[in-house]
Amino acid sequence: MTRSVPLRRPLVALLLSCTVLVSATACGDSGDSGSATGTGVSASASVAGPSASTEKQRLAKTRFVANAGLAAGATYQWIVKPYRAGTFKKGAEGRTFALVKAGLAGGFAYNRLKAATENAKGDPLLSKAVAPLTAGIESLKGMATKLRNGQAGAGDIGAFESVIDSIKSAGKSAGAEVQDKVPSTSQLTG
């Protein structure tokens, strides 16, 4: 039995060495081995150049849809729905919590709408459709504070709904249909 223990150590050492060797070989080195010229730019990177703008456009629509969907979901779930239910009225049960959440949702929605307009710039058709809406989005800038303080009225809630509906219709006209996606509470705060 004492003889089997010394054999285990070299076997384990051999297996570990092989594992390190295989992983180092699989990673390769970052030298000029795959470069087309001596500049360190690989042939695959130079070929990817022309399709990069196509990829950027495709991702622009995808990102626009994601950001606008999150803004729409947050607006409906934590601003429009509680307002219609009367949760923002003085004396309503859960009013303070609803107002805090609405304030967070308002800031989150504004942030996501700004990101969506930036994403839209990557697609020519989408950027033309969204460009007229930037003034409406900017008008929502201070809305989070009004919501949080309980000062938002029917006109303010309507402004949020109007901007979200305009973004949705602009996206649909450009082939990027926006669906409401309710963000988690941690997304609102983080």
Side-chain angles (χ1 to χ4, degrees):
M1 254 205 220
T2 58
R3 188 168 178 134
S4 66
V5 173
L7 286 176
R8 283 187 198 164
R9 288 182 186 154
L11 183 60
V12 170
L14 178 65
L15 286 172
L16 286 173
S17 299
C18 290
T19 304
V20 169
L21 180 65
V22 168
S23 65
T25 305
C27 291
D29 92 332
S30 61
D32 290 344
S33 62
S35 67
T37 63
T39 62
V41 176
S42 69
S44 62
S46 63
V47 172
S51 66
S53 64
T54 307
E55 184 70 13
K56 184 179 178 185
Q57 285 179 354
R58 185 178 65 79
L59 291 176
K61 275 189 177 179
T62 303
R63 289 179 177 154
F64 170 82
V65 168
N67 283 321
L70 285 168
T75 299
Y76 179 73
Q77 182 70 27
W78 289 301
I79 298 172
V80 175
K81 204 167 135 181
Y83 180 78
R84 288 184 182 159
T87 312
F88 294 163
K89 292 181 181 176
K90 290 188 185 218
E93 187 174 327
R95 178 179 187 257
T96 304
F97 185 66
L99 289 174
V100 169
K101 261 190 156 176
L104 290 172
F108 178 83
Y110 173 76
N111 182 292
R112 293 299 84 208
L113 288 171
K114 292 292 285 183
T117 57
E118 284 299 312
N119 298 139
K121 291 178 183 176
D123 182 70
L125 185 59
L126 194 56
S127 67
K128 287 178 186 174
V130 173
L133 305 175
T134 55
I137 293 169
E138 280 301 315
S139 72
L140 301 177
K141 192 172 188 173
M143 195 69 69
T145 306
K146 285 177 88 172
L147 285 165
R148 196 176 310 113
N149 294 334
Q151 300 168 345
D156 298 320
I157 304 301
F160 253 111
E161 281 185 294
S162 175
V163 169
I164 294 295
D165 289 342
S166 299
I167 286 287
K168 283 181 169 183
S169 64
K172 189 173 185 176
S173 72
E177 192 166 343
V178 176
Q179 301 290 326
D180 289 8
K181 184 177 180 186
V182 178
S184 66
T185 306
S186 64
Q187 285 178 308
L188 289 179
T189 59

